[in-house]
């Protein structure tokens, strides 16, 4: 189970970079710099460079590579701050859209529809622990990184949404296009410099996308490499390069998968029917990390109970009661989000809410579940094959006693 869970945790990253981030980056370049026609040579080239630039930052040593996510976070905060100031100036000159607070109240149907996306946006903060052995003081750095990145992400999610709604009417907000449209509209306060500043903003936005993919690759590829070295996946990928200290084989595997997925996406999106099917595949492919947390959180509690005396560098304060409550709460939400990602509409029907797969996904229910369950079956099949091939590694394992001393107080 741990092997399968590792693959679920890791596989999202290359598919997300190749099937989502690379496309968002291309759209941002088209809007702010120069138009790129879908399916053109430039389209393939841009996505290829985007993917492998992301992979390269994960390959270099952590001493250097850690600055990429750091710079990306700084750019992200900077963009939000500049956008905020610009909206204030824009509001003084042109006025702003009124926000109907009555329509901001959540609905049951809205919660079920958006649950996977919200949860996906707020998981992964623990991923820095994947590189803990390469940190100078992980016991101090990892907890502080989780807290600061969680607060920062909340700020960077909520503030832009509020600012976009001030500039554009709600019906005009359409994902990335709505955000860039709001930025372009607010930048009109800069007169003749607006086009140039919008282009710079798009470049920085693309860099932050690359940064997001890189941060996940640094963590996910390390997790895959460790699992492979332990006999949970193909042993070939369980090697860390002696010179740079990174799992280059796992990094390259992620790059190849991301590239192949991106090429397939470009080809499929050229046809409306296949584009709809690809949307289903992408949805479940980037939901596997969320699914993996269904086992991750309960496992943390079980291990704490089973090996209570073991030294733990990180420990949630409050004892087993707090730990159990925290695990139960987050596992409930993760399970809810995972279920609605794989079986959308089922809970809606149980509680008397309308839901149509055909209206939401533009495919029939049979087609949706065929692609969703088929994608999961392929991922499970690859995981099982890797586990079988690695049987020789597992046969050479030895029992190592767990240290029952606690030389240092655990970080909380």
């Amino acid at each position: 189970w741990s092997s399968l869970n590792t693959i679920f945790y890791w596989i999202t990253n290359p598919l997300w970079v190749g099937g989502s981030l690379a496309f968002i980056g291309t759209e941002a370049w088209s809007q702010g710099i120069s138009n790129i026609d879908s399916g053109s040579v430039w389209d393939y080239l841009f996505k290829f460079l985007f993917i492998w630039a992301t992979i390269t930052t994960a390959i270099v040593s952590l001493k250097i590579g850690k600055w990429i996510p750091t710079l990306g976070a700084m750019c992200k905060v900077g963009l939000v701050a500049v956008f905020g100031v610009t909206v204030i100036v824009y509001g003084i000159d042109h006025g702003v859209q009124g926000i109907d607070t009555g329509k901001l109240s959540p609905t049951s149907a809205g919660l079920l529809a958006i649950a996977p996306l919200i949860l996906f946006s707020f998981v992964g903060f623990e991923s820095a622990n994947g590189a803990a052995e390469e940190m100078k003081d992980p016991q101090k750095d990892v907890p502080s990184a989780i807290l600061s990145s969680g607060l920062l992400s909340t700020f960077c999610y909520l503030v832009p949404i509020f600012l976009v709604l001030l500039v554009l009417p709600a019906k005009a907000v359409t994902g990335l296009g709505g955000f860039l449209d709001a930025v372009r509209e607010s930048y009109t306060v800069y007169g003749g410099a607006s086009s140039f500043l919008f282009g710079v903003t798009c470049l920085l936005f693309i860099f932050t996308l690359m940064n997001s993919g890189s941060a996940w690759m640094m963590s996910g590829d390390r997790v895959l490499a460790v699992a492979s070295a332990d006999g949970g996946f193909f042993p070939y990928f369980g090697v860390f390069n002696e010179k740079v200290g990174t799992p280059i084989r796992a990094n390259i595997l992620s790059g190849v998968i991301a590239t192949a997925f991106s090429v397939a996406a470009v080809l499929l999106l050229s046809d409306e029917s296949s584009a709809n099917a690809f949307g289903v595949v992408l949805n479940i492919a980037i939901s596997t990390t969320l699914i993996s947390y269904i086992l991750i959180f309960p496992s943390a509690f079980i291990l704490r109970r089973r090996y209570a005396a073991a030294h733990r560098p990180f420990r949630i304060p409050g004892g087993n009661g707090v730990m159990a409550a925290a695990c139960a709460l987050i596992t409930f939400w993760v399970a809810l989000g995972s279920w609605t990602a794989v079986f959308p509409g089922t809970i809606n029907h149980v509680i008397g809410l309308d839901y149509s797969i055909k209206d939401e996904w533009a495919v029939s229910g049979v087609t949706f579940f065929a692609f969703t369950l088929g994608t999961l079956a392929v991922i499970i099949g690859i995981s099982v094959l890797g586990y079988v091939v690695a049987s020789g590694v597992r046969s050479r394992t030895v029992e190592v006693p767990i240290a029952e001393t606690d030389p240092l107080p655990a970080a909380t």
Side-chain angles (χ1 to χ4, degrees), residues 106-372:
T107 63
S108 298
L111 174 63
L112 292 173
I114 204 69
L117 178 60
I118 293 177
L119 290 165
F120 180 76
S121 299
F122 285 97
V123 297
F125 295 115
E126 81 296 333
S127 61
N129 191 48
E133 293 183 355
E134 301 166 69
M135 299 179 185
K136 292 182 179 180
D137 189 2
Q139 194 172 43
K140 175 184 177 182
D141 295 341
V142 170
S144 62
I146 292 174
L147 177 61
S148 59
S149 59
L151 294 174
L152 184 61
S153 294
T154 302
F155 171 80
C156 290
Y157 281 130
L158 296 182
V159 172
I161 292 174
F162 175 72
L163 295 176
V164 168
L165 291 175
L166 287 178
V167 176
L168 296 178
K171 62 181 181 181
V173 179
T174 56
L176 171 65
F179 171 73
L180 292 180
D181 287 343
V183 173
R184 189 197 302 272
E185 175 63 26
S186 65
Y187 276 18
T188 57
V189 299
Y190 298 119
S194 62
S195 295
F196 171 77
L197 292 175
F198 181 68
V200 172
T201 298
C202 287
L203 287 176
L204 293 176
F205 180 72
I206 292 170
F207 177 71
T208 63
L209 293 174
M210 194 179 302
N211 144 258
S212 297
S214 174
W216 270 102
M217 288 294 186
M218 288 180 183
S219 169
D221 290 351
R222 281 172 169 79
V223 171
L224 178 69
V226 171
S228 300
D230 284 345
F233 196 57
F234 296 101
Y236 176 81
F237 300 108
V239 177
F240 282 75
N241 184 271
E242 293 183 3
K243 184 177 181 179
V244 296
T246 54
I248 294 181
R249 294 179 181 180
N251 295 144
I252 293 177
L253 173 64
S254 291
V256 170
I257 291 175
T259 303
F261 197 65
S262 183
V263 171
V266 173
L267 295 174
L268 291 172
L269 290 174
S270 62
D271 177 74
E272 184 177 354
S273 60
S274 58
N276 294 333
F278 173 76
V280 175
V281 173
L282 179 62
N283 171 68
I284 189 59
I286 64 176
S287 297
T288 56
T289 290
L290 185 61
I291 295 173
S292 72
Y293 282 95
I294 296 176
L295 293 181
I296 289 176
F297 291 110
S299 296
F301 177 73
I302 292 172
L303 292 173
R304 178 163 169 170
R305 288 289 302 274
R306 186 171 296 176
Y307 303 102
H311 166 61
R312 302 183 185 282
F314 314 113
R315 183 186 295 272
I316 187 171
N320 287 342
V322 174
M323 179 72 169
C327 288
L329 179 63
I330 188 59
T331 301
F332 166 78
W333 285 109
V334 167
L336 176 66
S338 300
W339 181 270
T340 56
V342 179
F343 302 105
T346 52
I347 297 179
N348 299 62
H349 295 317
V350 170
I351 61 178
L353 298 175
D354 293 331
Y355 186 90
S356 170
I357 290 180
K358 182 68 175 178
D359 293 340
E360 295 293 332
W361 297 95
V363 297
S364 67
V366 173
T367 300
F368 179 91
F369 289 117
F371 278 101
T372 296

Side-chain angles (χ1 to χ4, degrees), residues 1-8 227 231-233 383-384 386-387:
W1 285 107
S2 61
S3 173
L4 175 60
N5 221 49
T6 297
I7 304 306
F8 268 33
F233 196 57
S383 176
V384 171
Y387 186 80

